PDB file of all heavy atoms in Angstrom:
ATOM      1  N   LEU A 611      18.324 138.554   1.380  1.00  0.00           N
ATOM      2  CA  LEU A 611      19.586 138.607   2.139  1.00  0.00           C
ATOM      3  C   LEU A 611      20.679 138.169   1.238  1.00  0.00           C
ATOM      4  O   LEU A 611      20.573 137.295   0.404  1.00  0.00           O
ATOM      5  CB  LEU A 611      19.557 137.688   3.307  1.00  0.00           C
ATOM      6  CG  LEU A 611      20.853 137.673   4.121  1.00  0.00           C
ATOM      7  CD1 LEU A 611      20.562 137.735   5.627  1.00  0.00           C
ATOM      8  CD2 LEU A 611      21.685 136.428   3.845  1.00  0.00           C
ATOM      9  N   TYR A 612      21.847 138.934   1.250  1.00  0.00           N
ATOM     10  CA  TYR A 612      23.066 138.459   0.690  1.00  0.00           C
ATOM     11  C   TYR A 612      24.150 138.543   1.670  1.00  0.00           C
ATOM     12  O   TYR A 612      24.156 139.363   2.555  1.00  0.00           O
ATOM     13  CB  TYR A 612      23.372 139.236  -0.666  1.00  0.00           C
ATOM     14  CG  TYR A 612      23.732 140.725  -0.484  1.00  0.00           C
ATOM     15  CD1 TYR A 612      25.041 141.078  -0.193  1.00  0.00           C
ATOM     16  CD2 TYR A 612      22.781 141.728  -0.668  1.00  0.00           C
ATOM     17  CE1 TYR A 612      25.348 142.491  -0.073  1.00  0.00           C
ATOM     18  CE2 TYR A 612      23.116 143.029  -0.527  1.00  0.00           C
ATOM     19  CZ  TYR A 612      24.368 143.442  -0.274  1.00  0.00           C
ATOM     20  OH  TYR A 612      24.685 144.725  -0.114  1.00  0.00           O
ATOM     21  N   ALA A 613      25.048 137.519   1.589  1.00  0.00           N
ATOM     22  CA  ALA A 613      26.138 137.398   2.514  1.00  0.00           C
ATOM     23  C   ALA A 613      27.475 137.403   1.747  1.00  0.00           C
ATOM     24  O   ALA A 613      27.631 136.604   0.809  1.00  0.00           O
ATOM     25  CB  ALA A 613      26.053 136.151   3.305  1.00  0.00           C
ATOM     26  N   LEU A 614      28.329 138.317   2.051  1.00  0.00           N
ATOM     27  CA  LEU A 614      29.664 138.403   1.454  1.00  0.00           C
ATOM     28  C   LEU A 614      30.602 137.563   2.248  1.00  0.00           C
ATOM     29  O   LEU A 614      31.421 138.079   3.035  1.00  0.00           O
ATOM     30  CB  LEU A 614      30.102 139.875   1.348  1.00  0.00           C
ATOM     31  CG  LEU A 614      29.094 140.718   0.580  1.00  0.00           C
ATOM     32  CD1 LEU A 614      29.429 142.182   0.730  1.00  0.00           C
ATOM     33  CD2 LEU A 614      29.074 140.340  -0.903  1.00  0.00           C
ATOM     34  N   ASP A 615      30.497 136.223   2.166  1.00  0.00           N
ATOM     35  CA  ASP A 615      31.165 135.259   2.986  1.00  0.00           C
ATOM     36  C   ASP A 615      32.599 134.933   2.549  1.00  0.00           C
ATOM     37  O   ASP A 615      33.296 134.223   3.273  1.00  0.00           O
ATOM     38  CB  ASP A 615      30.325 134.018   3.088  1.00  0.00           C
ATOM     39  CG  ASP A 615      30.087 133.316   1.762  1.00  0.00           C
ATOM     40  OD1 ASP A 615      30.202 133.934   0.722  1.00  0.00           O
ATOM     41  OD2 ASP A 615      29.800 132.109   1.794  1.00  0.00           O
ATOM     42  N   LYS A 616      33.011 135.480   1.383  1.00  0.00           N
ATOM     43  CA  LYS A 616      34.391 135.265   0.957  1.00  0.00           C
ATOM     44  C   LYS A 616      35.051 136.641   0.587  1.00  0.00           C
ATOM     45  O   LYS A 616      35.837 136.675  -0.317  1.00  0.00           O
ATOM     46  CB  LYS A 616      34.345 134.323  -0.285  1.00  0.00           C
ATOM     47  CG  LYS A 616      33.776 132.937  -0.006  1.00  0.00           C
ATOM     48  CD  LYS A 616      33.801 132.075  -1.263  1.00  0.00           C
ATOM     49  CE  LYS A 616      33.204 130.705  -0.937  1.00  0.00           C
ATOM     50  NZ  LYS A 616      31.762 130.739  -0.702  1.00  0.00           N
ATOM     51  N   ASN A 617      34.648 137.648   1.337  1.00  0.00           N
ATOM     52  CA  ASN A 617      35.229 139.019   1.068  1.00  0.00           C
ATOM     53  C   ASN A 617      35.021 139.375  -0.405  1.00  0.00           C
ATOM     54  O   ASN A 617      35.958 139.907  -1.026  1.00  0.00           O
ATOM     55  CB  ASN A 617      36.673 139.082   1.487  1.00  0.00           C
ATOM     56  CG  ASN A 617      36.879 138.714   2.924  1.00  0.00           C
ATOM     57  OD1 ASN A 617      37.254 137.565   3.198  1.00  0.00           O
ATOM     58  ND2 ASN A 617      36.675 139.608   3.831  1.00  0.00           N
ATOM     59  N   ASP A 618      33.863 139.053  -0.938  1.00  0.00           N
ATOM     60  CA  ASP A 618      33.540 139.188  -2.339  1.00  0.00           C
ATOM     61  C   ASP A 618      33.588 140.576  -2.894  1.00  0.00           C
ATOM     62  O   ASP A 618      32.803 141.457  -2.402  1.00  0.00           O
ATOM     63  CB  ASP A 618      32.126 138.595  -2.615  1.00  0.00           C
ATOM     64  CG  ASP A 618      31.945 137.265  -1.971  1.00  0.00           C
ATOM     65  OD1 ASP A 618      31.495 137.206  -0.795  1.00  0.00           O
ATOM     66  OD2 ASP A 618      32.209 136.304  -2.646  1.00  0.00           O
ATOM     67  N   PRO A 619      34.440 140.911  -3.867  1.00  0.00           N
ATOM     68  CA  PRO A 619      34.346 142.209  -4.517  1.00  0.00           C
ATOM     69  C   PRO A 619      33.011 142.247  -5.292  1.00  0.00           C
ATOM     70  O   PRO A 619      32.598 141.251  -5.942  1.00  0.00           O
ATOM     71  CB  PRO A 619      35.555 142.194  -5.497  1.00  0.00           C
ATOM     72  CG  PRO A 619      36.315 140.976  -5.287  1.00  0.00           C
ATOM     73  CD  PRO A 619      35.499 140.073  -4.410  1.00  0.00           C
ATOM     74  N   HIS A 620      32.324 143.401  -5.177  1.00  0.00           N
ATOM     75  CA  HIS A 620      30.983 143.449  -5.792  1.00  0.00           C
ATOM     76  C   HIS A 620      30.654 144.895  -6.176  1.00  0.00           C
ATOM     77  O   HIS A 620      31.275 145.841  -5.700  1.00  0.00           O
ATOM     78  CB  HIS A 620      29.926 142.886  -4.786  1.00  0.00           C
ATOM     79  CG  HIS A 620      29.867 143.640  -3.495  1.00  0.00           C
ATOM     80  ND1 HIS A 620      30.819 143.484  -2.463  1.00  0.00           N
ATOM     81  CD2 HIS A 620      28.961 144.518  -2.998  1.00  0.00           C
ATOM     82  CE1 HIS A 620      30.535 144.262  -1.464  1.00  0.00           C
ATOM     83  NE2 HIS A 620      29.404 144.892  -1.750  1.00  0.00           N
ATOM     84  N   THR A 621      29.623 145.000  -7.019  1.00  0.00           N
ATOM     85  CA  THR A 621      29.025 146.268  -7.367  1.00  0.00           C
ATOM     86  C   THR A 621      27.597 146.264  -6.885  1.00  0.00           C
ATOM     87  O   THR A 621      26.823 145.363  -7.247  1.00  0.00           O
ATOM     88  CB  THR A 621      29.071 146.517  -8.884  1.00  0.00           C
ATOM     89  OG1 THR A 621      30.451 146.525  -9.284  1.00  0.00           O
ATOM     90  CG2 THR A 621      28.493 147.895  -9.261  1.00  0.00           C
ATOM     91  N   LEU A 622      27.232 147.267  -6.091  1.00  0.00           N
ATOM     92  CA  LEU A 622      25.892 147.371  -5.564  1.00  0.00           C
ATOM     93  C   LEU A 622      25.263 148.530  -6.272  1.00  0.00           C
ATOM     94  O   LEU A 622      25.855 149.621  -6.328  1.00  0.00           O
ATOM     95  CB  LEU A 622      25.995 147.663  -4.073  1.00  0.00           C
ATOM     96  CG  LEU A 622      24.666 147.675  -3.277  1.00  0.00           C
ATOM     97  CD1 LEU A 622      23.948 146.329  -3.366  1.00  0.00           C
ATOM     98  CD2 LEU A 622      24.926 148.027  -1.825  1.00  0.00           C
TER      99      LEU A 622
END
Side-chain angles (χ1 to χ4, degrees):
L611 177 133
Y612 65 88
L614 303 169
D615 60 339
K616 296 178 183 74
N617 304 97
D618 313 88
H620 60 286
T621 301
L622 186 62

